[in-house]
Amino acid sequence: MLTKLKDLLVEEMDINPELIKPEAELMNDLGFNSLELADLVVLCEERFNVVFDESSLPTLLTVGDVVAYLEENA
């Protein structure tokens, strides 16, 4: 799932692939703002056919957090 998420981040959000690691923080390391985080959620929902629970959004701090959520819910 990490590879699939990495592909999405590179293709859709123009993130440098070298920065995308499980421990990378979405906001601090990848430079996401709240709007870009919302865009990521929508892209993940569309590509991976998963629905994000709104209460889980504050827990998505790192690439690894997103991967874990997708693996548990996709």
Side-chain angles (χ1 to χ4, degrees):
M1 187 59 75
L2 176 60
T3 302
K4 291 180 182 181
L5 180 61
K6 187 174 187 175
D7 290 345
L8 181 139
L9 289 168
V10 171
E11 294 166 15
E12 301 289 338
M13 305 193 82
D14 200 30
I15 302 294
N16 180 341
E18 294 178 11
L19 299 176
I20 304 169
K21 300 173 184 164
E23 65 276 7
E25 293 182 10
L26 297 171
M27 292 193 166
N28 293 333
D29 297 328
L30 302 184
F32 278 49
N33 61 35
S34 57
L35 182 58
E36 290 166 325
L37 186 55
D39 287 344
L40 175 62
V41 167
V42 171
L43 288 168
C44 286
E45 288 180 335
E46 291 172 355
R47 183 165 298 186
F48 304 119
N49 196 28
V50 65
V51 175
F52 281 82
D53 181 353
E54 199 170 306
S55 65
S56 69
L57 298 182
T59 67
L60 303 176
L61 303 176
T62 67
V63 171
D65 293 338
V66 178
V67 169
Y69 188 90
L70 292 171
E71 288 176 345
E72 292 173 13
N73 296 281

